[in-house]
Amino acid sequence: RKSRLMRWFWIAVALVAVAGAAGIAFIASELAVATAARMLIARSEGRLLIDGANGSLLSLVRINHLEWRGPSSTLTADDIAVDWSPLALWSRGIVVKALGAQRITLAIKPSDTAVEVPVTLALPTTVTIGKIAVAEFQWAVGTTEGRISGVTFGNNGGPPDHRVLRGDR
């Protein structure tokens, strides 16, 4: 009886190990990145478009084109790379080692109506981005527009505070 119980125990351990390995293999696959992109698009109620997402949810994710359409603004980003640490989710919030984009464009339509200011700008969890690099940032607010090239900085934020860090640190 004892040897049968030990055999079932080791079979259960082997099944858990195989399931764990299969889960890690899935998370590391491009199928997981595509699935995550589809989930984000579905939850955005049609506001978000993600094209050409690939890589691994365990480290580096690349996106060819991302677009967010709000009621009075549009943000697009091209050639995005996100190098992050998913293991940090267990303890410290979201940790992104590096976030880069070749081009980001922000367009805001002018409005005569007052915009209600949020009660707080605090993030619900800690978010750390070691380095943010954007080759070209273009914006248009009504008829005013501009462009900045070679933007680099870091960002630390969370419920208690929010800090933008110098790009040359």
Side-chain angles (χ1 to χ4, degrees), residues 63-107:
I63 300 170
N64 291 340
H65 180 76
L66 182 139
E67 190 170 316
W68 173 267
R69 292 195 178 274
S72 62
S73 61
T74 301
L75 177 93
T76 63
D78 295 310
D79 299 324
I80 304 163
V82 181
D83 186 8
W84 74 305
S85 176
L87 294 177
L89 292 172
W90 291 104
S91 62
R92 298 179 296 181
I94 299 170
V95 176
V96 176
K97 297 173 192 168
L99 171 64
Q102 190 63 34
R103 181 177 30 268
I104 296 179
T105 304
L106 174 64

Side-chain angles (χ1 to χ4, degrees), residues 23 25-44 48 50 52-57 61-63:
F26 171 73
I27 291 172
S29 73
E30 291 200 15
L31 178 60
V33 173
T35 301
R38 282 193 305 273
M39 289 173 63
L40 289 171
I41 291 167
R43 291 183 180 189
S44 74
L48 180 65
I50 299 174
N54 58 63
S56 167
L57 291 180
V61 176
R62 294 187 178 279
I63 300 170

Side-chain angles (χ1 to χ4, degrees), residues 112-127:
D112 292 334
T113 59
V115 175
E116 191 171 319
V117 177
V119 175
T120 180
L121 294 176
L123 299 172
T125 188
T126 302
V127 177

